[in-house]
């Protein structure tokens, strides 16, 4: 059982310079261990947490020693517990988390436990960054109209979260319309240093969105976890993690004139993907750091999931303190932050000699070598220098279908699809832009690229350039602060003139909420098989994500989004070809509309002011009229409605008893799906719009929901019936069982019928037959979505056998009781001659004590072929979760006091 903290002897008092004290803190220097000085700053945060929470039960002295000895232990994949300072939830991922908490209360009640024990034990920040469907775009009233639509569609979901804010202690809910979760976290919620009951400690956070990593730009250690892990952390469970390696990324020099933070982050993303950083921390350092604004750092940190790292960390320095000042944090708070971090040797002062840190591996980038670029057409790390874009596009048309190819026959590449746009003759060619979106996640915390985009718009308008009316343009700032500085600069009117009206503050095009494109444009694309393009300033461009009809999707800086909207095509060389014709008939080139770094810096300096942040965040705590008028039921147990298509009680705890079910093998399982490499959570998890012919649509129609009210999968994440039907419903799914056909279907092996994935899974479940999934490398890469694990579990999937897994998804599978297995190096389904038509038996010991993390097991098939796999339970805690049937069941039994 827990005992007194053995490190209380290093609990020191932090004095204020002017007298008095800030509080007490666990002093790392007081340990007098020279190994600590060499630790990366990111590892010091793990160390401090382990020391502060050491009770010789959940966190032990030997865990602290493992972290101190990081240089020797990290290559050995050792397990450590980590207790984050807080948990961050966003609207979509927050709903299932609150649903599960409400459901756990019911389960506790039924098992005779105290349901009020189900409460967050660490601060939980839940931001309703409602995912804005860009239905209303080119309109001055877009924000209000979209907000009204959102409340109309999502009233039930919002009301449920409002109930949660009062039903659960320690939970702060930021109302809709305030901004995107990551930017609100950066500008407002990030504490940097906590002072709780007189004890000071570093802010750290896990969030239910993979881009929680944006906060790492502020020197707060944060990363995305599955909703399942987040819920356990909320309930006081230590997160079990493998002590990560840390890649030291040295930045030198300064960006050239006209090069943006987005160009830098796309370059960094490509470098780190090539280096291989999955499961690792990346820590940035070097003299080039002083040239990077906090917003630039946040842009790089935001993209951690795209380069595969757990986080990209920027230690706190003077730039961080200046940003805290800019965003309205009090002088008293900033003084406390600096004093604490200096005292604990966690502050970087570049005016002092630097102690060389030890890293697992090293990378270096001279900032002056970064050049303008975009990434695509299907993956964020496929960077294309701007000067090579036209040649790269032509190659993509030629190349066979793949990440860099569309296989368009030579004779069809110059085809023009003629159509009538509201009575005006028009035409579309391959590569023509139909969606141009400045989206809310990666870049809109960055005033330099936002005001840079506005300057491009100003120059274009003054020269007489226009955006074609059928291109769907939109601007979704990350917070109300952006609106304030765009208006103060006097530049918003130029963005409006080009169609980039503000549509709302939340996830938009990047998550698939681009809304419909004009029917005439959609028909021209479909009927002529055109490869239409979208250009967006987000961080994800996987095929089928942005819009079903845009097969080419490019990530670009906000100024480049405007430039490509003006050009109307990605098939252009900006150096030699004009963007368009001005009002005097003169050809206008890219260089004519591109602002200098000095122009951008001047407008940032004069337009971005601390009062804007203070005013914005004072307002959000008051809510808005639509939120404040929502009436919600009281009571600590939720009154589930059997007719609701938004909020539904999931079956996770059905027939749950006090005794853990124990580990389970898999016997004679059928293969539900057979995949190749890079199956992302976008392919697995329900996301975007609900297709009219999908099983989810059929369910909604049967429950009296009109098609116009389907809403998105994201908005219905609180209903397991919808989400199970939307699992593997991506229209770009490539399933080898279909022999080349693309789409959300599979073969029901016993009958040979082609069915939707959901219908096939239900056929197997009804017959009492287990299923497994075969996959290639990087299975589950992309966003951390709990439904990418919950959905397969509800479909009856018992195991996934892959070449490799993305970190968060593998962990989520374990949390839902699904066995992750890896093929041996050099082997996969193809090399082993597996077709997916076999039946699979995985023989696991029936006692959890006989299973070891990372042990080998034999997988036998009914064809007579057997092969060896590694079971990817990576820690003892994960084995405990598996023994209990999942992490939530483990927590409930633990809270009630069942034997573990």
């Amino acid at each position: 059982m827990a005992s007194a903290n053995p490190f209380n002897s290093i609990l020191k008092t932090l004095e204020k310079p002017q007298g008095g004290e800030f509080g007490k803190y666990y002093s790392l220097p007081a340990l007098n261990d020279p190994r600590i000085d060499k630790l990366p700053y990111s590892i010091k945060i793990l160390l401090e947490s382990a020391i502060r929470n050491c009770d010789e039960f959940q966190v032990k002295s030997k865990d602290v020693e493992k972290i101190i000895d990081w240089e020797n232990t990290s290559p050995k994949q050792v397990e450590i517990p980590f207790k984050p300072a807080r948990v961050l939830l966003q609207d979509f991922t927050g709903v299932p988390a609150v649903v599960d908490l409400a459901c756990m209360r019911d389960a506790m009640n039924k098992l005779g436990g105290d349901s009020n024990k189900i409460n967050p034990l660490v601060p939980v920040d839940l931001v309703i960054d409602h995912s804005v469907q860009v239905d209303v775009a080119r309109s001055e009233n877009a924000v209000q109209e979209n907000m009204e639509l959102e409340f109309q569609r999502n009233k039930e979901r919002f009301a449920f979260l409002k109930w949660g804010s009062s039903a659960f202690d320690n939970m702060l809910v930021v109302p809709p319309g305030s901004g995107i979760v990551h930017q609100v976290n950066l500008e407002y919620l990030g504490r940097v240093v906590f002072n709780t009951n007189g004890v000071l400690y570093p802010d750290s956070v896990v969030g239910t969105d993979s881009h929680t990593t944006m906060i790492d730009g502020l020197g707060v250690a944060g990363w995305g976890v599955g909703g399942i892990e987040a819920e356990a952390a909320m309930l006081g469970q230590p997160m079990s993690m493998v002590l990560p390696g840390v890649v030291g990324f040295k930045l030198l020099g300064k960006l050239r004139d006209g090069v943006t933070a987005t160009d830098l982050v796309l370059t960094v993303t490509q470098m780190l993907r090539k280096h291989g950083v999955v499961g690792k921390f990346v820590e940035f350092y070097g003299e080039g750091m002083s040239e990077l604004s906090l917003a630039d750092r946040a842009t790089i940190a935001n993209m951690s999931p795209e380069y595969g790292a757990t986080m990209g960390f920027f230690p706190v320095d003077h730039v961080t303190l200046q940003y805290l000042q800019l965003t309205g944090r009090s002088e008293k708070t900033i003084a406390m932050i600096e004093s604490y971090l200096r005292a604990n040797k966690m502050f970087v002062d570049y005016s002092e000699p630097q102690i060389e840190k030890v890293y697992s591996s090293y990378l270096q980038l001279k900032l002056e070598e970064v050049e303008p670029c975009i990434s695509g057409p299907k993956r964020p790390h496929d960077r294309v220098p701007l000067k090579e874009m036209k040649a790269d596009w032509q190659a993509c048309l030629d190349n066979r279908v793949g990440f860099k190819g569309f296989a368009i026959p030579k004779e069809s590449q110059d085809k023009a699809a003629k159509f009538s746009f509201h009575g005006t003759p028009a035409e579309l060619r391959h590569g023509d832009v139909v969606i141009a979106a400045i989206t809310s996640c990666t870049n809109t915390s960055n005033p330099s690229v936002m005001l840079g985009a506005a300057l491009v718009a100003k120059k274009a308008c003054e020269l007489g350039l226009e955006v074609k009316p059928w291109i769907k343009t939109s601007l979704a700032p990350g917070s109300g602060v952006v609106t304030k500085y765009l208006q103060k600069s006097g530049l918003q009117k130029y963005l409006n003139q080009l169609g980039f009206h503000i549509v709302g503050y939340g996830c938009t095009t990047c998550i698939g909420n681009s809304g419909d494109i004009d029917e005439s444009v959609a028909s021209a694309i479909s009927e002529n098989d055109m490869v239409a393009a979208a250009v967006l300033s987000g961080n994800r461009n996987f095929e089928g994500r942005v819009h079903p009809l845009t097969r080419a999707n490019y990530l670009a800086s906000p100024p480049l989004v405007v430039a490509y909207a003006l050009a109307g095509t990605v098939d252009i060389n900006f150096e030699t070809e004009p963007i368009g014709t001005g009002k005097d008939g003169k050809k206008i080139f890219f260089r004519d509309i591109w602002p200098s770094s000095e122009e951008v810096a001047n407008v940032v300096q004069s337009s971005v002011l601390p009062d804007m942040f203070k005013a914005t965040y004072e307002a959000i705590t008051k809510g808005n009229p639509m939120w404040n008028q929502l009436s919600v039921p009281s009571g600590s147990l939720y009154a589930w409605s059997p007719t609701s298509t938004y909020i539904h009680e999931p079956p996770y705890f059905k027939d749950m008893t006090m005794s853990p079910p124990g580990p389970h093998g898999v016997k004679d399982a059928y293969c539900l799906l057979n995949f190749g490499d890079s199956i992302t959570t976008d392919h697995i998890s329900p996301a975007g719009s609900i297709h009219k012919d999908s099983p989810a649509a059929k369910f909604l129609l049967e429950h009296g929901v009109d098609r116009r009210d389907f809403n998105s999968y994201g908005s219905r994440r609180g209903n397991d019936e919808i989400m199970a039907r939307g699992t593997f419903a991506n229209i770009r799914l490539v399933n080898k069982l279909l022999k080349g056909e693309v789409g959300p279907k599979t073969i029901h092996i016993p009958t040979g019928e082609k069915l939707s994935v959901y219908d096939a899974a239900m056929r197997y479940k009804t017959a009492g037959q287990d299923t497994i999934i075969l996959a290639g490398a990087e299975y589950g890469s992309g966003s951390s979505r709990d439904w990418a694990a919950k959905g397969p579990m509800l479909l009856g999937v018992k195991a996934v056998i892959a070449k490799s897994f993305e970190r968060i998804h593998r962990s989520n599978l374990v949390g839902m009781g699904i066995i992750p297995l890896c093929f041996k190096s050099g082997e996969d389904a193809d090399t082993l001659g597996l077709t997916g038509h076999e039946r699979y038996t995985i023989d696991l010991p029936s006692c959890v004590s006989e299973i070891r993390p990372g042990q080998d097991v034999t997988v036998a098939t009914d064809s007579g072929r057997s092969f060896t796999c590694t079971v990817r339970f990576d820690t003892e805690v994960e084995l405990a979760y598996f023994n209990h049937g999942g992490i939530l069941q483990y927590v409930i039994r633990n809270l009630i006091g069942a034997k573990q």
Side-chain angles (χ1 to χ4, degrees), residues 57 148 159 298 335 402 441 466 547 598 640 822:
F57 179 56
E148 286 170 4
C441 191
E466 294 179 346
H547 192 281
E598 187 180 5
W640 305 98
C822 278

PDB file of all heavy atoms in Angstrom, residues 57 148 159 298 335 402 441 466 547 598 640 822:
ATOM      1  N   PHE A  57       3.990   2.737  -4.160  1.00  0.00           N
ATOM      2  CA  PHE A  57       2.881   1.851  -4.539  1.00  0.00           C
ATOM      3  C   PHE A  57       2.586   2.033  -6.026  1.00  0.00           C
ATOM      4  O   PHE A  57       2.922   1.177  -6.847  1.00  0.00           O
ATOM      5  CB  PHE A  57       1.649   2.159  -3.684  1.00  0.00           C
ATOM      6  CG  PHE A  57       0.447   1.322  -4.012  1.00  0.00           C
ATOM      7  CD1 PHE A  57       0.522  -0.062  -3.982  1.00  0.00           C
ATOM      8  CD2 PHE A  57      -0.761   1.916  -4.341  1.00  0.00           C
ATOM      9  CE1 PHE A  57      -0.601  -0.842  -4.293  1.00  0.00           C
ATOM     10  CE2 PHE A  57      -1.885   1.146  -4.640  1.00  0.00           C
ATOM     11  CZ  PHE A  57      -1.798  -0.224  -4.622  1.00  0.00           C
ATOM     12  N   GLU A 148     -25.353  29.190 -35.216  1.00  0.00           N
ATOM     13  CA  GLU A 148     -26.761  28.820 -35.058  1.00  0.00           C
ATOM     14  C   GLU A 148     -27.017  27.404 -35.571  1.00  0.00           C
ATOM     15  O   GLU A 148     -27.751  26.628 -34.963  1.00  0.00           O
ATOM     16  CB  GLU A 148     -27.649  29.839 -35.783  1.00  0.00           C
ATOM     17  CG  GLU A 148     -27.736  31.178 -35.048  1.00  0.00           C
ATOM     18  CD  GLU A 148     -28.406  32.267 -35.865  1.00  0.00           C
ATOM     19  OE1 GLU A 148     -28.882  31.956 -36.983  1.00  0.00           O
ATOM     20  OE2 GLU A 148     -28.439  33.424 -35.409  1.00  0.00           O
ATOM     21  N   ALA A 159     -25.695  20.129 -24.419  1.00  0.00           N
ATOM     22  CA  ALA A 159     -26.407  20.061 -23.134  1.00  0.00           C
ATOM     23  C   ALA A 159     -25.822  18.963 -22.248  1.00  0.00           C
ATOM     24  O   ALA A 159     -25.698  19.122 -21.027  1.00  0.00           O
ATOM     25  CB  ALA A 159     -27.895  19.810 -23.370  1.00  0.00           C
ATOM     26  N   ALA A 298       5.173  26.739 -31.543  1.00  0.00           N
ATOM     27  CA  ALA A 298       3.906  26.020 -31.385  1.00  0.00           C
ATOM     28  C   ALA A 298       3.491  25.343 -32.689  1.00  0.00           C
ATOM     29  O   ALA A 298       2.912  24.250 -32.682  1.00  0.00           O
ATOM     30  CB  ALA A 298       2.816  26.984 -30.916  1.00  0.00           C
ATOM     31  N   ALA A 335       6.494  35.751 -12.699  1.00  0.00           N
ATOM     32  CA  ALA A 335       7.627  35.772 -11.763  1.00  0.00           C
ATOM     33  C   ALA A 335       7.755  34.427 -11.048  1.00  0.00           C
ATOM     34  O   ALA A 335       8.866  33.904 -10.852  1.00  0.00           O
ATOM     35  CB  ALA A 335       7.443  36.900 -10.744  1.00  0.00           C
ATOM     36  N   GLY A 402      -0.925   5.652 -55.849  1.00  0.00           N
ATOM     37  CA  GLY A 402      -0.207   5.499 -54.588  1.00  0.00           C
ATOM     38  C   GLY A 402      -0.131   6.839 -53.903  1.00  0.00           C
ATOM     39  O   GLY A 402      -0.856   7.773 -54.258  1.00  0.00           O
ATOM     40  N   CYS A 441      -6.095  24.712 -36.969  1.00  0.00           N
ATOM     41  CA  CYS A 441      -5.244  23.982 -36.024  1.00  0.00           C
ATOM     42  C   CYS A 441      -3.791  24.408 -36.031  1.00  0.00           C
ATOM     43  O   CYS A 441      -3.295  25.016 -35.095  1.00  0.00           O
ATOM     44  CB  CYS A 441      -5.339  22.489 -36.309  1.00  0.00           C
ATOM     45  SG  CYS A 441      -4.608  21.469 -35.037  1.00  0.00           S
ATOM     46  N   GLU A 466      -8.740  38.119 -58.547  1.00  0.00           N
ATOM     47  CA  GLU A 466      -9.927  37.562 -57.899  1.00  0.00           C
ATOM     48  C   GLU A 466      -9.788  36.046 -57.784  1.00  0.00           C
ATOM     49  O   GLU A 466      -9.002  35.430 -58.515  1.00  0.00           O
ATOM     50  CB  GLU A 466     -11.182  37.888 -58.722  1.00  0.00           C
ATOM     51  CG  GLU A 466     -11.505  39.377 -58.779  1.00  0.00           C
ATOM     52  CD  GLU A 466     -12.743  39.647 -59.635  1.00  0.00           C
ATOM     53  OE1 GLU A 466     -13.165  38.723 -60.376  1.00  0.00           O
ATOM     54  OE2 GLU A 466     -13.281  40.759 -59.561  1.00  0.00           O
ATOM     55  N   HIS A 547     -12.205  16.033 -48.391  1.00  0.00           N
ATOM     56  CA  HIS A 547     -13.485  15.979 -49.094  1.00  0.00           C
ATOM     57  C   HIS A 547     -13.445  14.768 -50.017  1.00  0.00           C
ATOM     58  O   HIS A 547     -12.404  14.483 -50.624  1.00  0.00           O
ATOM     59  CB  HIS A 547     -13.709  17.255 -49.918  1.00  0.00           C
ATOM     60  CG  HIS A 547     -15.116  17.396 -50.429  1.00  0.00           C
ATOM     61  ND1 HIS A 547     -15.574  16.707 -51.528  1.00  0.00           N
ATOM     62  CD2 HIS A 547     -16.159  18.144 -49.980  1.00  0.00           C
ATOM     63  CE1 HIS A 547     -16.842  17.014 -51.735  1.00  0.00           C
ATOM     64  NE2 HIS A 547     -17.223  17.886 -50.803  1.00  0.00           N
ATOM     65  N   GLU A 598       9.918  41.617 -43.304  1.00  0.00           N
ATOM     66  CA  GLU A 598       9.864  42.886 -42.589  1.00  0.00           C
ATOM     67  C   GLU A 598       8.447  43.465 -42.588  1.00  0.00           C
ATOM     68  O   GLU A 598       7.954  43.951 -41.563  1.00  0.00           O
ATOM     69  CB  GLU A 598      10.831  43.898 -43.222  1.00  0.00           C
ATOM     70  CG  GLU A 598      10.954  45.183 -42.426  1.00  0.00           C
ATOM     71  CD  GLU A 598      11.906  46.185 -43.064  1.00  0.00           C
ATOM     72  OE1 GLU A 598      12.404  45.907 -44.180  1.00  0.00           O
ATOM     73  OE2 GLU A 598      12.126  47.239 -42.463  1.00  0.00           O
ATOM     74  N   TRP A 640     -30.260   8.445 -19.112  1.00  0.00           N
ATOM     75  CA  TRP A 640     -30.076   8.069 -20.518  1.00  0.00           C
ATOM     76  C   TRP A 640     -31.412   8.026 -21.244  1.00  0.00           C
ATOM     77  O   TRP A 640     -32.399   7.512 -20.718  1.00  0.00           O
ATOM     78  CB  TRP A 640     -29.422   6.685 -20.615  1.00  0.00           C
ATOM     79  CG  TRP A 640     -28.135   6.553 -19.870  1.00  0.00           C
ATOM     80  CD1 TRP A 640     -27.949   6.032 -18.630  1.00  0.00           C
ATOM     81  CD2 TRP A 640     -26.845   6.966 -20.331  1.00  0.00           C
ATOM     82  NE1 TRP A 640     -26.623   6.087 -18.273  1.00  0.00           N
ATOM     83  CE2 TRP A 640     -25.925   6.651 -19.295  1.00  0.00           C
ATOM     84  CE3 TRP A 640     -26.373   7.558 -21.499  1.00  0.00           C
ATOM     85  CZ2 TRP A 640     -24.562   6.904 -19.403  1.00  0.00           C
ATOM     86  CZ3 TRP A 640     -25.021   7.818 -21.614  1.00  0.00           C
ATOM     87  CH2 TRP A 640     -24.130   7.500 -20.573  1.00  0.00           C
ATOM     88  N   CYS A 822       2.709  -8.205 -33.593  1.00  0.00           N
ATOM     89  CA  CYS A 822       3.560  -7.787 -34.706  1.00  0.00           C
ATOM     90  C   CYS A 822       4.186  -8.993 -35.391  1.00  0.00           C
ATOM     91  O   CYS A 822       4.681  -9.908 -34.721  1.00  0.00           O
ATOM     92  CB  CYS A 822       4.675  -6.869 -34.209  1.00  0.00           C
ATOM     93  SG  CYS A 822       4.155  -5.160 -34.009  1.00  0.00           S
TER      94      CYS A 822
END
